């Protein structure tokens, strides 16, 4: 998950360097929107089963929720 996101961000940077703005924004959209949705759903799941909320929320803000 982390490697896929990092690869998409590198690819987006390559598109920006090449001057291809449309592909850059599409790559960012398809990389970051699923990240946000996964983190949001995991926050709701952890809210129901976990009592250590500040640590879990911090990990989700750092996009490390799936690793927990």
């Amino acid at each position: 998950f982390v490697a896929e996101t990092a690869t998409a961000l590198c690819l987006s940077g390559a598109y920006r360097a090449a001057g291809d703005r449309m592909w850059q924004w599409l790559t960012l959209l398809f990389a970051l929107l699923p990240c946000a949705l996964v983190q949001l759903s995991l926050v709701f799941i952890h809210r129901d089963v976990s009592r250590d909320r500040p640590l879990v929320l911090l990990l989700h803000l750092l996009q490390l929720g799936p690793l927990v």
Side-chain angles (χ1 to χ4, degrees), residues 13-33:
Y15 283 138
R16 182 177 184 194
D20 198 355
R21 295 286 186 183
M22 182 184 75
W23 285 110
Q24 175 197 4
W25 288 110
L26 283 174
T27 304
L28 282 175
L29 176 74
F30 289 126
L32 297 179
L33 185 65

Side-chain angles (χ1 to χ4, degrees), residues 30-52:
F30 289 126
L32 297 179
L33 185 65
C35 283
L37 292 176
V38 165
Q39 299 304 321
L40 201 65
S41 65
L42 286 175
V43 165
F44 288 122
I45 290 169
H46 282 297
R47 181 177 290 166
D48 291 338
V49 298
S50 177
R51 295 186 187 262
D52 193 16

